[in-house]
């Protein structure tokens, strides 16, 4: 075995097979990326192209869309829906679904209204109660799913109705509980933004963090005599990330600024991405999504994996419900109904998480919700009714599924299915 | 009478796995009747039989899926009871089913370490990847990259991954269920080579198969089942294939006899 020194790139353990086509350097990376796209491993490319197209289209139709103010609003609007979609990503990864996230969000919003406003509980206690309610519902789904082997879409559809009823009971006759405009939760959703300086520092910290993590990983791989990324191929994307984030912050800071609610959402996405990719739990989630039977035989605690994802999904939904209440300034019987449910599922799928389990990432919640909310926001600006919004969003979802299907066919043709 | 009574003269001269008089009934169907089998370290035993001969039932008993109604299982001469898949693994049996039980969405490293990923809080990716290469190298396995999803591998490469995965626990006994059934010529050769390597490392291997060519290529002995009974144990190198075929199809007249006498010179390592 080699001594643990940095090996010359050509003798790394994982690049010795003579059939591997090796491309090195910046041009090589580009060639690799193109080859991957051709073979259907398109990753986040279609969604990014989609966002660019949507923004360009709405920007042309109504320049207000790309204004600092509106893009800042878009960030706030994305937060609640995005947090709900993040939970959906988790259940989709194990090949299941939770159709009741909208109602769960509604219940979360109602508990907030009843506890925080009507009974005057402290906010922290209310938040704890709401999250606990989500946890109870999620655990119940998981237990029923495991013990009775009922398909999750049926369980959660039953849950949808039951939670809808609970929401009506909680909010009561009035149909709406107004949350005082001066309360911290409404201010958090509607007013609180990162101080400009903090936003620039945070953007720099994210880029530095990306570079640092990549570099540490390259070091570990080099020490293990495995091929690793060159310094240049870490620096280029890091600098691009830095420039992109700083520009985005500057652009949004010209008006309102970067909403705290969005920052919470983005942080949750980053945390979930880390947990999914780097921990035993995350590996188990992907394994169960790939083949439940294989995971079970390998000794993975499949029961615990299912319980954890149903639990987290319902908790994210209840958290999203509180965000929703804060943003609307009220807990109403309407909260979480209508398109919240389907938008969250559509966002996860549009963002690139497979409906069939085992494929996807936490970032698909972020990207998918960006598309969904951009369309909703853009159509609002064009004064289109919700009827047209529904139809257009439906069309986009269909396109996303078709793109996924085509890329899957390409993956299969290239042996990457 | 134990077939190995004559052999067990020294402590070392014990089969690593011995089944004595195993019987199993499902309702009115006697799937296995008084079946015996021995496996020595460093040998490959082919378990042969027509459909319904009881091969799968026997494998599932070894895997801890079924419990036998009667009979004894000995590992290294020690009687053991195997009542769950965990028991089976604990006693050093690696069962590789036909469906391989791989997660196609995960890469080779993740599959090799499925259920036993390393790292205390975080996954120790580099260590696992390094060990994966070492393991595959030691099997002379041809897998271009361990970071591609298993879905992109050929049937033979998947079989290799499944075998390599069970090697990680270093079990003394391998049971392979139809390892070449779905494979083409070159891939079959690759898997057979792997089985020979397992034998040369001193593992005992039981291969369930329909394919007599595979039997001749890798097996030392062939144990034939017919309608749930032993129907002959043959030294593959000395017995013509027609004899084995006759035993599989029950045309050799042994079918009603008690555990067929081991044919002369059943090989021991």
């Amino acid at each position: 075995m080699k001594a643990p020194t940095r090996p010359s790139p050509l003798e790394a353990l994982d690049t010795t097979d003579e059939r591997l086509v090796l491309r090195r350097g910046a041009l090589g990376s580009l060639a690799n990326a193109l080859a991957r796209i051709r073979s259907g491993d398109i990753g986040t490319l279609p969604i990014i192209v989609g966002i660019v197209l949507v923004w360009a289209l709405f920007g042309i139709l109504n320049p207000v869309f790309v204004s600092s103010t509106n893009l800042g609003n878009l960030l706030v609007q994305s937060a609640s829906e995005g947090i709900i979609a993040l939970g959906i990503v988790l259940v989709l990864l194990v090949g299941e679904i939770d159709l009741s996230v909208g109602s769960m969000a509604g219940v979360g919003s109602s508990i907030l209204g009843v506890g925080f406003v009507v009974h005057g509980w402290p906010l922290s206690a209310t938040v704890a109660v709401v999250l606990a309610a989500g946890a109870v519902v999620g655990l119940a789904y998981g237990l029923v799913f495991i013990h009775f082997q009922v398909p999750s879409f049926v369980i959660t559809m039953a849950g949808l109705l039951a939670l809808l009823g609970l929401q009506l009971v909680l909010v009561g006759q009035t149909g709406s509980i107004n949350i005082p405009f001066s309360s911290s939760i409404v201010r958090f959703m509607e007013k609180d933004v990162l101080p400009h300086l903090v936003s620039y520092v945070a953007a720099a910290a994210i880029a530095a963090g990306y570079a640092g993590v990549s570099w540490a990983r390259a070091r570990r791989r080099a020490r293990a005599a495995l091929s690793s990324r060159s310094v240049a191929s870490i620096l280029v994307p890091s600098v691009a990330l830095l420039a992109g984030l700083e520009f985005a912050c500057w652009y949004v800071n010209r008006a309102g600024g970067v909403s705290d609610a969005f920052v919470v959402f983005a942080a949750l996405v980053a945390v979930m991405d880390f947990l999914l990719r780097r921990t035993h739990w995350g590996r188990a989630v992907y394994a169960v999504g790939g083949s439940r039977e294989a995971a079970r035989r390998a000794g993975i605690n499949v029961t615990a994996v299912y319980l954890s994802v149903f639990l987290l999904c319902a908790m994210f939904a209840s958290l999203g419900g509180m965000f929703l209440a804060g943003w609307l300034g009220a807990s109403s019987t309407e909260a979480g109904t209508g398109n919240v449910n389907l938008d969250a599922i559509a966002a996860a799928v549009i963002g690139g998480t497979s409906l069939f389990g085992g494929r996807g990432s936490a970032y698909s919640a972020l990207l998918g919700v960006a598309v969904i909310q951009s369309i909703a926001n853009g159509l609002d600006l064009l004064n289109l009714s919700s009827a047209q919004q529904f139809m257009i969003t439906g069309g986009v979802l269909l396109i996303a599924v078709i793109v996924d299907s085509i890329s899957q066919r390409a993956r299969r043709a290239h042996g990457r299915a | 009478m134990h077939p190995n009574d004559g052999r067990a003269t020294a402590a070392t001269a014990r089969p690593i796995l011995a089944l004595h008089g195993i019987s199993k009934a499902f309702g009115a169907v006697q799937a296995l009747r008084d079946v015996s089998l021995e496996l020595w370290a460093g040998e490959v035993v082919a378990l042969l039989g027509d459909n319904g001969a009881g091969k799968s039932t026997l494998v599932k008993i070894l895997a801890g899926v079924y419990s036998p109604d009667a009979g004894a299982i000995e590992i290294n001469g020690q009687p053991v009871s195997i009542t769950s898949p965990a028991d089976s693994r604990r006693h050093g049996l690696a069962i590789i089913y036909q469906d391989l039980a791989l997660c196609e969405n995960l890469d080779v490293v993740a599959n090799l370490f499925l259920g036993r990923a390393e790292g205390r809080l975080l996954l120790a990716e580099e260590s696992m990847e390094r060990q994966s290469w070492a393991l595959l190298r030691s099997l002379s396995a041809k897998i271009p990259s361990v970071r591609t999803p298993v879905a992109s591998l050929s049937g033979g490469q998947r079989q290799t991954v499944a075998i390599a995965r069970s090697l990680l626990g270093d079990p003394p006994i391998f049971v392979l269920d139809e390892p070449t059934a779905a494979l083409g010529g070159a891939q079959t050769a690759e898997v057979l080579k792997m089985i020979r390597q397992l034998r040369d490392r001193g593992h005992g291997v039981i291969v369930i198969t329909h394919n007599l060519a595979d039997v001749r290529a890798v097996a030392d002995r062939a144990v034939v089942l017919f309608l749930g009974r032993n129907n002959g144990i043959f030294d593959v190198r000395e017995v013509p294939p027609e004899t084995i075929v006759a035993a599989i199809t029950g045309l050799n007249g042994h079918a009603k006899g008690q555990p067929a006498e081991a044919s002369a010179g059943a090989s021991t390592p």
Side-chain angles (χ1 to χ4, degrees), chain A residues 150-170:
Chain A
V150 188
S152 56
F153 82 92
V154 182
I155 302 170
T156 55
M157 204 158 12
L160 185 158
L161 291 172
L163 292 173
L164 202 57
L166 181 60
Q167 184 184 357
L168 294 179
V169 170
L170 284 172

Side-chain angles (χ1 to χ4, degrees), chain A residues 221 224 278 280 283 286 358 415 417, chain B residues 105 119 123 125 129-130 151-152:
Chain A
R221 287 183 63 85
R278 296 286 290 131
H280 293 272
R283 183 57 52 82
Y286 280 100
Chain B
N105 59 328
L123 296 169
E125 293 286 1
E129 181 165 345
R130 203 179 154 77
S152 67

Side-chain angles (χ1 to χ4, degrees), chain A residues 127-372:
Chain A
V127 170
V129 169
V130 170
L131 290 179
V136 167
V137 171
L139 268 185
Y141 289 161
L143 290 172
V144 173
F145 176 75
I146 289 154
H147 288 293
F148 300 104
Q149 310 276 312
V150 188
S152 56
F153 82 92
V154 182
I155 302 170
T156 55
M157 204 158 12
L160 185 158
L161 291 172
L163 292 173
L164 202 57
L166 181 60
Q167 184 184 357
L168 294 179
V169 170
L170 284 172
V171 177
Q173 296 298 315
T174 54
S176 178
I177 300 169
N178 288 324
I179 302 173
F181 213 72
S182 55
S183 67
S184 46
I185 178 79
V186 176
R187 267 192 290 115
F188 168 72
M189 284 303 298
E190 298 198 342
K191 291 242 160 56
D192 288 354
V193 294
L194 288 187
H196 292 189
L197 183 62
V198 173
S199 72
Y200 296 127
V201 173
I206 290 171
Y210 170 79
V213 167
S214 305
W215 188 70
R217 188 173 141 77
R219 277 275 307 272
R220 284 200 308 274
R221 287 183 63 85
R223 226 177 293 137
L226 298 166
S227 67
S228 51
R229 289 170 68 180
S230 65
V231 174
S233 71
I234 292 172
L235 270 183
V236 170
S238 303
V239 170
L241 186 66
L242 179 70
L245 287 175
E246 294 291 2
F247 175 76
C249 283
W250 167 78
Y251 194 75
V252 175
N253 279 341
R254 294 198 320 170
V258 182
S259 149
D260 281 357
F262 178 80
V263 172
V264 169
F265 164 50
L268 284 173
V269 168
V271 168
M272 289 318 297
D273 177 65
F274 178 79
L275 292 177
L276 283 171
R277 281 189 306 107
R278 296 286 290 131
T279 66
H280 293 272
W281 172 77
R283 183 57 52 82
V285 167
Y286 280 100
V288 170
S291 167
R292 178 185 183 166
E293 181 59 18
R296 192 185 63 76
R297 283 199 217 149
I300 288 173
N301 189 342
V302 175
T303 306
V305 170
Y306 281 121
L307 280 180
S308 66
V309 294
F310 280 115
L311 178 103
L312 282 171
C313 178
M315 285 179 77
F316 278 129
S318 62
L319 180 64
M322 286 189 280
F323 277 43
L324 208 57
W327 183 46
L328 298 172
S331 303
S332 75
T333 49
E334 298 292 310
T337 57
N339 50 349
V340 170
N341 227 346
L342 292 178
D343 273 0
I345 297 169
V349 175
I350 289 173
T353 294
S354 167
L355 284 166
F356 306 105
R359 231 179 276 281
S361 86
Y363 284 104
S364 50
L366 185 64
L367 295 169
V369 91
V371 172
I372 294 263

Side-chain angles (χ1 to χ4, degrees), chain A residues 1 13-14 16-20 220-221 224-226 274 278-280 283 286-287 290 294 297-298 300 358 415 417, chain B residues 89 97 99 101-103 105-106 110 114-115 117-119 121-123 125-126 129-130 133 137 142-144 151-152:
Chain A
M1 282 290 110
L13 256 177
D14 51 343
T16 48
D17 192 287
E18 67 272 23
R19 287 168 295 175
L20 269 185
R220 284 200 308 274
R221 287 183 63 85
L226 298 166
F274 178 79
R278 296 286 290 131
T279 66
H280 293 272
R283 183 57 52 82
Y286 280 100
R297 283 199 217 149
I300 288 173
Chain B
R89 221 170 298 141
Y97 293 97
D99 68 3
L102 298 173
C103 289
N105 59 328
L106 297 179
L114 197 64
E118 291 187 353
L121 282 174
L122 305 181
L123 296 169
E125 293 286 1
E126 291 74 26
E129 181 165 345
R130 203 179 154 77
W133 281 114
R137 198 69 52 79
K142 291 271 184 208
I143 291 186
S152 67

